Amino acid sequence: MKDMFLIALEGTSLVTEHTYIYLLIPVCLIYLFFRNKMPAPRIFFIQGTLLLFFIYFCPISAMVIHFCLLNSVYNRALWLIPFVPLVCYTAAHMLLHFQGRKRFGLFAALLLFIMTSGTYMLREPNFHKASNPYKLTQESIDTADFLPDGAHVVGANWLVPFIRQYNPTITLVNDRWQRTSIDAEFAKEHPDLTVLGPLLQSSNCDFIAIGQDLNMTVIGKWEDYGFHFYAGDNRCIIFINENSSFYNGEP
């Protein structure tokens, strides 16, 4: 129970640490509590929001949600909180009580607060200017340079869309349009090689190219399932299948 409560706290911290927009939730709740006496909005926005927060933090209900999310990232449950409707309704209710310049000023202040309290996506580390003539992510090019021509590869999601643009002789087990059982297992917080190993061997892949961060969370040893370290850098790590024609027998 305590562990589940800590997971809920950690998830909340993860969501709110880079933005203060979630401060609008208590502000909206306090404002509606004192200024809006209509029963329907109070039930939906005030009581409903508080109930969903209780469900999120209550260890018993949190365990149920965690199970339904298939052990995925628990802070996704915060999406159940009606944050956008709550803020929009409260802002509209506030604006109705002002006229002229005061209304415009309040609208501008709210808009500016919302615009500046989020995280800008179109900048580093989310996006980087292409530094190569191919205009592809440098990680994809660096990874492709490790791989021989004609390799059959299971690739990370950040690699799949680009690697064949750089080297079209490489083929991929997983593609960007169809989610496979391999992708589903890799998407888990702790991929299990007892599940992945047979799936990867049945795919007849030559190499596996994944992120170093993902490899740190994998349960099991790659060597026990016929895969050995091949190459890598600080972003990507590549394993070779011992059943591949590219494998030379070296551990």
Side-chain angles (χ1 to χ4, degrees):
M1 293 294 182
K2 181 180 178 181
D3 291 342
M4 199 65 242
F5 181 71
L6 292 176
I7 289 174
L9 287 178
E10 291 172 0
T12 305
S13 175
L14 182 65
V15 171
T16 59
E17 65 180 350
H18 298 301
T19 177
Y20 47 87
I21 194 170
Y22 281 90
L23 292 176
L24 288 176
I25 292 181
V27 171
C28 292
L29 291 176
I30 293 172
Y31 174 85
L32 292 178
F33 180 80
F34 289 104
R35 297 300 301 271
N36 192 317
K37 302 303 181 181
M38 293 185 291
R42 291 177 69 87
I43 293 173
F44 180 80
F45 290 111
I46 300 178
Q47 298 179 24
T49 301
L50 293 176
L51 175 62
L52 289 172
F53 269 117
F54 173 79
I55 292 174
Y56 176 80
F57 284 106
C58 176
I60 297 175
S61 54
M63 290 177 64
V64 175
I65 298 174
H66 196 267
F67 175 79
C68 293
L69 290 174
L70 301 177
N71 297 325
S72 186
V73 181
Y74 184 67
N75 58 40
R76 292 175 181 172
L78 285 173
W79 298 345
L80 299 173
I81 306 298
F83 172 72
V84 174
L86 174 66
V87 173
C88 292
Y89 178 82
T90 306
H93 192 275
M94 295 174 66
L95 291 171
L96 285 174
H97 290 76
F98 292 90
Q99 298 292 333
R101 293 182 178 179
K102 290 183 178 180
R103 176 181 288 182
F104 178 78
L106 177 60
F107 174 78
L110 290 172
L111 185 63
L112 181 64
F113 178 85
I114 294 173
M115 289 175 60
T116 58
S117 63
T119 301
Y120 294 97
M121 291 299 297
L122 299 180
R123 61 175 56 178
E124 296 183 1
N126 302 310
F127 289 87
H128 303 269
K129 290 184 178 180
S131 57
N132 55 75
Y134 300 94
K135 301 303 180 184
L136 300 174
T137 59
Q138 191 60 45
E139 295 91 344
S140 302
I141 293 178
D142 294 341
T143 303
D145 284 337
F146 285 129
L147 298 167
D149 291 346
H152 194 46
V153 180
V154 171
N157 57 357
W158 52 265
L159 176 66
V160 167
F162 310 110
I163 189 169
R164 281 179 47 79
Q165 297 181 50
Y166 178 72
N167 186 346
T169 70
I170 295 174
T171 56
L172 295 163
V173 174
N174 51 336
D175 60 52
R176 61 187 302 184
W177 306 114
Q178 183 176 1
R179 184 180 174 89
T180 66
S181 52
I182 294 175
D183 296 318
E185 186 63 28
F186 269 130
K188 295 181 179 179
E189 187 174 358
H190 295 284
D192 192 346
L193 284 181
T194 59
V195 177
L196 268 177
L199 290 174
L200 293 169
Q201 286 294 355
S202 64
S203 71
N204 296 317
C205 65
D206 296 309
F207 298 91
I208 303 166
I210 60 174
Q212 288 277 13
D213 54 343
L214 177 60
N215 182 59
M216 295 296 292
T217 68
V218 171
I219 300 173
K221 296 182 179 180
W222 289 100
E223 293 79 6
D224 295 340
Y225 298 90
F227 295 94
H228 305 273
F229 175 79
Y230 179 76
D233 54 24
N234 61 348
R235 174 71 194 272
C236 181
I237 185 168
I238 302 174
F239 297 94
I240 186 171
N241 189 346
E242 64 183 20
N243 296 320
S244 168
S245 58
F246 293 102
Y247 185 61
N248 60 12
E250 297 181 1

